[in-house]
Structure formats: C-alpha cells, structure tokens
Amino acid sequence: MLEDKSPQLTPISAYGEFGLIKHLTENFSFDNDSTEVSIGDDAAVINPGNQRVVVTTDVLAEGVHFNLGYVPLKHLGYKAVVINLSDIAAMNAVPTQILVSLAISNR
C-alpha cells in the first residue's frame, strides 16, 4: 500500500471539540440493535436485555490533565471519578459503577 506523501492536514484546533467528535465518527455505522445512543460528547446508551446502561470513560493523560509532581494521587482519583460522574449526570442517569482510564509515564 502506498502512502500519500503530501496529505491534507487540518489542525485539531480548526475543528473544536464537537467538530472533532463529528469528524471522527461520521463514517461509523452501528449495526448492533442494543445501541440506542452511540458515540457522542457525554456517554453512550446501550440496551442489552431491555435494561438501559449508560457508559462513559474519559482518559486523563499525565502532562495534559494532571502533573504528578504536584497533584496528590487522592486528588487525581477524585478528578478521574468526578469527570465521568458529570457525563452520567448529563445523560440524566444514576451512576452505579466506575471505569477509570489513566495514561501515566513510566517514571
């Protein structure tokens, strides 16, 4: 497969948050019948077995969202939970479980 040596590059800042989400997801099709709300800003809604489930996760990356040089782990854990709880609340759902994603350097 040949690589295009002069691709058209658009800076992410030109899209903005919602424009980037739209650009990344506009060619996805969802064939699963249990998917009610797919990729979006806050959360997805799936309905396996007639029980709606709202799922979300936000990755916190060291050097972008936090700095371990001055952020205590207790505060980082709190932030990781709260940002996802806000997504669940935005979908008018009640949180029951937590899924946390962190990207931390090897130091």
Side-chain angles (χ1 to χ4, degrees), residues 61-68 103:
E62 184 180 13
V64 177
H65 302 106
F66 65 93
N67 182 330
L68 285 178

Side-chain angles (χ1 to χ4, degrees), residues 12 15 17-28 39:
I12 291 175
Y15 286 108
E17 179 183 358
F18 298 107
L20 179 61
I21 291 169
K22 180 181 178 190
H23 177 73
L24 293 174
T25 61
E26 63 190 355
N27 294 318
F28 280 88
I39 298 170

